[in-house]
């Protein structure tokens, strides 16, 4: 997976945030985060949804039964940064709740139907939506 991610990261940075393949034409950001247990700096390419001045990301993990590691890293260390296009933005992560979560998640499923498939595939009660608010 890291070779695949590294290729996406290199292409993202070489093309001001645009990549081809499965992410072509889709909103993609690079999430800089710190390991909850290790303290190791990590970088993850993720699809996002713009929500006002903030960015929503989704702990779908392709419909797996557990959340991605980056989700736990954000819970432990919510102050992170993202790369969007050629810009670096400092943000604070929070888990969306209630109506906010529902509204963002429903829009993501409408815009990108594979997210509805992730929801059907997992037995998790809800796929977390994380909002990244600029600081």
């Amino acid at each position: 997976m890291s070779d695949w991610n590294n290729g996406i990261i290199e292409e993202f940075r070489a093309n001001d945030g645009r990549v081809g393949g499965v992410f072509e034409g889709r909103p993609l950001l690079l999430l800089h985060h710190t390991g909850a247990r290790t303290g190791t700096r990590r970088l993850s390419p993720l699809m996002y949804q713009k929500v006002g001045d903030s960015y929503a990301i989704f702990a779908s993990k392709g419909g797996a039964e557990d959340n991605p590691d980056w989700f736990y890293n954000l819970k432990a260390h919510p102050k992170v940064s993202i790369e969007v296009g050629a810009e670096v933005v400092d943000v604070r992560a929070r888990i969306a709740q209630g109506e906010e979560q529902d509204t963002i998640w429903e829009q993501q499923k409408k815009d990108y139907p594979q997210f509805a498939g992730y929801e059907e595939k997992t037995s998790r009660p809800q796929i977390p939506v994380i909002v990244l608010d600029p600081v």
Side-chain angles (χ1 to χ4, degrees):
M1 182 64 101
S2 65
D3 286 342
W4 187 73
N5 278 350
N6 287 338
I8 292 170
I9 292 164
E10 288 174 14
E11 186 177 359
F12 181 100
R13 287 178 168 162
N15 297 294
D16 292 327
R18 292 181 304 277
V19 298
V22 298
F23 291 116
E24 186 169 1
R26 296 170 188 237
L28 191 70
L29 59 75
L30 301 181
L31 174 68
H32 295 255
H33 52 105
T34 302
R37 290 178 290 150
T38 65
T40 302
R41 294 288 296 157
R42 309 269 184 208
L43 187 59
S44 300
L46 300 167
M47 283 184 63
Y48 72 91
Q49 180 187 133
K50 193 77 167 96
V51 180
D53 291 335
S54 300
Y55 305 83
I57 55 176
F58 309 90
S60 59
K61 198 177 178 183
E65 291 302 316
D66 58 340
N67 293 317
D69 291 343
W70 60 257
F71 174 79
Y72 302 104
N73 294 346
L74 292 181
K75 284 180 74 173
H77 306 286
K79 190 173 178 187
V80 296
S81 64
I82 56 175
E83 292 177 51
V84 182
E87 183 181 7
V88 176
V89 181
D90 291 327
V91 295
R92 179 171 294 279
R94 62 181 174 82
I95 300 171
Q97 303 290 324
E99 185 178 329
E100 180 186 40
Q101 193 276 343
D102 294 342
T103 300
I104 295 168
W105 179 246
E106 290 303 317
Q107 186 64 51
Q108 189 69 7
K109 291 191 302 182
K110 180 181 173 190
D111 293 345
Y112 302 99
Q114 72 268 26
F115 282 84
Y118 302 154
E119 183 178 61
E120 292 171 7
K121 187 176 172 184
T122 188
S123 64
R124 287 185 279 166
Q126 189 172 61
I127 291 176
V129 172
I130 298 82
V131 178
L132 305 172
D133 296 312
V135 293

